[in-house]
Amino acid sequence: MVLDAVPVHRLAVVVAFLAAFGVVWAIDRPRGAWGRRLRSRLLLGVPWGTLLAVAFVVCVYLFVQGGARNPYRPVVIPFRAWSYLYPEGMIWAGFAHANFGHVTGNLLGTLVAGTLAEYAYGHFPHGRGTSSFSSLRRNPYVRAFAFVPAAVFVCGLLTALFALGPVIGFSGVVFAMWGFALVHYPLGAVVALAGSSLVRLLWNAFRNPVIEASAGPSYSAPWWAGIAVQGHALGLFLGVFAGLYVLRHRDERPSGLRLFAGTLLFGASQGLWAVYWYLGNESYRLFRAVGTSLVVVLAVLVAAAGAASAAPLLRRWAVDRPEGFREAARSASPRAVALVVLCLGFGVVVGPAVPVNMMTTTDEPLPGDPVEIEGYEVTYAEDVRDQTVSVIDVEAFNQSTAVNTSGVIVRNPDRHIWTTALTKGRLAQDGAGQVRVGGTGWREDVDVRRAGWRAVGGDPTYRIDLVHDGETRTAFVSEPSEAEATIDGRNVTVAAVEGGFDLRVAAGNETASAALPATNESVVVGGIAFEREDRRLYAERGETRVRIANAERYT
């Protein structure tokens, strides 16, 4: 009997992990010490707040975004943080996700970071002589089932409200959890970060135990261009501030070296240094040195705000000064100064997002004849002003937000949405795509198809068709493609037209044209016979026969 390889491989992953855990248990012989340690900080040893947060995000993905109908293709566009004038997007953006891999990645990170952060916070009070049920704030059930979930929800809202651009995802909250954990367990958080990678590895090994791949062309933007570094930094700041507040409340002071090392290692490994600028039309510029320097400065400030001395810096200077100066000098400790600078840094991260999110899309109509669906407009255009980036014209460091974009454009004035849903480069690589619009409880798809030919020695000529409700319309045709060779003094051009392609033969001041023949058929245009063999087009005149054009191939 031959067993199916996939279940066997999945079983191998589970057995290997459980066996390894059993060996470590036998070596350590904890005799319940692990459980007692967890129960000393967490109600019944369980991170209830983290689990509730995970459950809430899963519900948003399944029922708000429609992931229950298709887990791999949720509705995304209306659940981004587009504008303060579109509250629905702002509310859901911090908890919605772009796809199945996005949500699973964030939830696996939440289970590790959230558990460590919740353990640091604890469901039981830490002060001497305090009772777990002496007040609402000290009640472990309230802390586990109300305070922690409420903090997660507020953090999710804040990371959407003050994020720069139409972000989506729970990663801002995950970074806040890491920030809180870093302040309490700097090196432990770095170790747990490796544990987060292990959790992802186990999940991926169980979900896809065998992968086959081969070398070939691919289309992708730089990996760092997909990082919402501003949103991640925003979440980290929120977590660090919350952690510092708890430390002050408990009168605890961690090691400065550990805080610095933990924050530096975390920022380097999580790409917080990836400061980049969008140049338009799928081009980006990375400022690696600037970003690395900022991570170092952040690590120093976090270490100083958490572990520096609270003694006044200017005590002697203030002795003979007026009362106001003496009061200011008493509060100007190294720790306080670091915290103030850290707050200023937080303001720099948050500040640019406020005017951007207060703006809306322009009333300028989209080019062509867009497909209209319940307030949405879908079309294709090239080299048009990117209204997502250039809501406010800003020029700094020889860069500008006034950039152009090319691809499938989606606009909804009522929801203040304007985005390039499919880029020109992606369509040129894949040849087809799909744009999904909708809202809470509904969705509609628009299929996008590209067909193109390239004359030998010329640029490609192509058309973009949009298909919705069984109706196909040509949204865009590019410039014709002229062959480099001439045949008996005649120039041959392949031109994309609405619904198809034309052949044009020019001799002197006269031009003849006809539709491109179907596969294995031929046509005579301007005295030249054209024969199509599958994806190749040949031209014949007299004893001459040359390949004149090729159809585009897509992956």
Side-chain angles (χ1 to χ4, degrees):
M1 181 177 64
V2 179
L3 296 176
D4 188 356
V6 172
V8 171
H9 291 164
R10 287 175 175 168
L11 181 63
V13 172
V14 175
V15 170
F17 184 77
L18 292 179
F21 186 79
V23 169
V24 174
W25 183 287
I27 293 173
D28 246 8
R29 297 183 182 277
R31 302 183 186 279
W34 296 352
R36 288 194 297 273
R37 182 80 179 194
L38 285 173
R39 290 192 296 272
S40 70
R41 305 296 293 271
L42 303 175
L43 186 62
L44 303 179
V46 178
W48 297 108
T50 299
L51 296 181
L52 287 175
V54 168
F56 179 70
V57 171
V58 169
C59 288
V60 171
Y61 189 80
L62 293 178
F63 306 116
V64 177
Q65 294 187 257
R69 293 175 55 186
N70 187 341
Y72 297 96
R73 289 293 314 281
V75 180
V76 175
I77 290 177
F79 301 113
R80 291 184 177 273
W82 293 105
S83 170
Y84 292 148
L85 303 176
Y86 176 46
E88 182 181 358
M90 285 292 176
I91 291 173
W92 293 119
F95 310 101
H97 288 83
N99 51 54
F100 186 77
H102 190 200
V103 68
T104 53
N106 275 340
L107 291 184
L108 292 174
T110 300
L111 289 174
V112 177
T115 298
L116 185 60
E118 195 166 353
Y119 181 88
Y121 171 66
H123 298 158
F124 303 96
H126 297 277
R128 291 184 178 181
T130 57
S131 173
S132 295
F133 296 92
S134 60
S135 68
L136 193 66
R137 183 170 59 87
R138 295 186 175 92
N139 189 309
Y141 290 93
V142 174
R143 292 166 73 94
F145 295 103
F147 287 176
V148 174
V152 169
F153 185 74
V154 170
C155 187
L157 288 179
L158 291 177
T159 54
L161 288 172
F162 297 107
L164 186 61
V167 299
I168 189 171
F170 199 60
S171 57
V173 180
V174 177
F175 269 74
M177 294 173 174
W178 282 121
F180 190 91
L182 271 171
V183 171
H184 292 273
Y185 308 116
L187 299 186
V190 175
V191 173
L193 192 62
S196 180
S197 299
L198 174 62
V199 171
R200 288 188 177 91
L201 174 62
L202 292 173
W203 166 255
N204 290 328
F206 182 82
R207 180 167 168 258
N208 296 308
V210 179
I211 296 178
E212 294 184 5
S214 59
S218 62
Y219 176 88
S220 62
W223 66 266
W224 39 264
I227 296 179
V229 64
Q230 188 263 358
H232 291 178
L234 170 59
L236 186 67
F237 269 109
L238 292 174
V240 166
F241 287 142
L244 292 174
Y245 173 80
V246 172
L247 283 180
R248 295 296 174 269
H249 181 73
R250 295 176 181 172
D251 197 22
E252 296 176 0
R253 184 177 173 185
S255 163
L257 178 60
R258 291 185 178 183
L259 273 177
F260 172 76
T263 306
L264 186 62
L265 290 172
F266 177 84
S269 64
Q270 294 303 293
L272 285 176
W273 49 267
V275 179
Y276 67 91
W277 192 283
Y278 179 58
L279 301 176
N281 283 326
E282 303 173 85
S283 298
Y284 309 86
R285 179 166 294 152
L286 176 66
F287 299 94
R288 197 199 316 262
V290 173
T292 302
S293 302
L294 291 175
V295 170
V296 174
V297 172
L298 175 64
V300 171
L301 291 175
V302 171
S309 171
L313 278 171
L314 306 174
R315 181 184 304 171
R316 293 183 179 179
W317 175 84
V319 171
D320 298 327
R321 307 293 175 180
E323 179 61 29
F325 285 95
R326 290 199 298 271
E327 186 64 29
R330 281 193 292 268
S331 62
S333 66
R335 184 187 302 175
V337 171
L339 184 59
V340 169
V341 177
L342 202 60
C343 290
L344 291 175
F346 177 70
V348 171
V349 170
V350 170
V354 176
V356 171
N357 292 336
M358 291 179 66
M359 304 299 290
T360 183
T361 58
T362 64
D363 294 329
E364 183 179 347
L366 294 180
D369 183 21
V371 174
E372 298 184 3
I373 307 170
E374 300 290 336
Y376 287 95
E377 300 171 7
V378 182
T379 191
Y380 181 93
E382 294 189 357
D383 286 325
V384 295
R385 183 75 171 269
D386 192 327
Q387 300 297 333
T388 305
V389 178
S390 56
V391 174
I392 299 178
D393 290 339
V394 176
E395 294 189 9
F397 307 107
N398 295 322
Q399 311 298 322
S400 174
T401 58
V403 297
N404 291 341
T405 186
S406 300
V408 179
I409 310 298
V410 177
R411 177 175 178 260
N412 189 320
D414 296 333
R415 296 176 183 260
H416 307 278
I417 293 173
W418 199 105
T419 184
T420 307
L422 280 173
T423 63
K424 173 186 176 181
R426 171 63 68 183
L427 279 175
Q429 179 77 13
D430 296 343
Q434 192 176 70
V435 174
R436 175 162 290 174
V437 298
T440 305
W442 71 278
R443 63 174 67 192
E444 296 242 8
D445 294 331
V446 178
D447 292 316
V448 185
R449 301 170 184 171
R450 169 170 166 148
W453 284 79
R454 180 191 292 269
V456 175
D459 295 325
T461 182
Y462 52 90
R463 74 174 193 275
I464 306 295
D465 294 334
L466 304 179
V467 183
H468 177 250
D469 278 347
E471 178 186 347
T472 301
R473 67 176 69 180
T474 299
F476 180 85
V477 292
S478 69
E479 293 294 322
S481 176
E482 183 176 344
E484 185 176 30
T486 59
I487 301 175
D488 195 19
R490 294 166 171 81
N491 295 318
V492 179
T493 300
V494 182
V497 296
E498 184 173 349
F501 293 89
D502 281 352
L503 279 171
R504 299 171 184 171
V505 177
N509 295 326
E510 297 182 359
T511 300
S513 65
L516 187 76
T519 302
N520 299 324
E521 293 187 2
S522 60
V523 67
V524 177
V525 184
I528 300 177
F530 294 92
E531 182 181 2
R532 178 175 172 182
E533 296 180 3
D534 191 21
R535 307 180 66 83
R536 296 178 295 275
L537 183 68
Y538 294 91
E540 296 182 4
R541 181 169 173 82
E543 299 296 323
T544 302
R545 186 176 190 268
V546 295
R547 187 169 60 183
I548 203 70
N550 301 285
E552 287 188 337
R553 292 185 179 273
Y554 310 112
T555 58

